[in-house]
Amino acid sequence: MHNRRALATVALLLTLGSTACSSGPTYDESVKLCHKALVERPEGATGKPKECEPLKADDYDSVNVSATIDRLGWTDENGNFDKNKMLEDTLDD
């Protein structure tokens, strides 16, 4: 009888633990949320958006550069960096 109670308790704790761990976004989802927040933030805004808090420093730096390239319009229709768009933009000034 005690073994069944112990097993039931362990099963309940594992269920609660896995539910608690999965309640927030995954790391990949956090990267996407951070990228979106950086692309959409107002010009001149500084500081790390709250959506970016879960990211490691190196990952945040990479996402920030990627978002800057997107915001400047230097990407092609597939979201890849387009050197020609960058050059056109710099030559227009």
Side-chain angles (χ1 to χ4, degrees):
M1 182 75 165
H2 292 292
N3 286 341
R4 286 185 185 172
R5 265 193 213 152
L7 288 174
T9 302
V10 168
L12 178 63
L13 290 174
L14 288 173
T15 301
L16 291 174
S18 66
T19 302
C21 292
S22 66
S23 63
T26 65
Y27 196 78
D28 287 343
E29 291 168 339
S30 294
V31 169
K32 290 175 185 173
L33 291 170
C34 176
H35 185 271
K36 183 176 191 244
L38 289 169
V39 169
E40 294 176 354
R41 74 177 173 178
E43 188 173 330
T46 59
K48 190 176 194 178
K50 67 178 167 66
E51 294 87 349
C52 301
E53 291 300 323
L55 274 58
K56 298 174 189 169
D58 287 345
D59 292 340
Y60 172 72
D61 291 343
S62 297
V63 172
N64 197 7
V65 169
S66 175
T68 300
I69 290 170
D70 285 350
R71 201 171 41 253
L72 291 170
W74 295 348
T75 55
D76 63 17
E77 61 279 350
N78 297 320
N80 298 315
F81 174 68
D82 187 332
K83 181 175 83 173
N84 292 327
K85 287 186 177 185
M86 180 195 69
L87 292 173
E88 288 172 11
D89 193 34
T90 58
L91 294 175
D92 289 342
D93 292 340

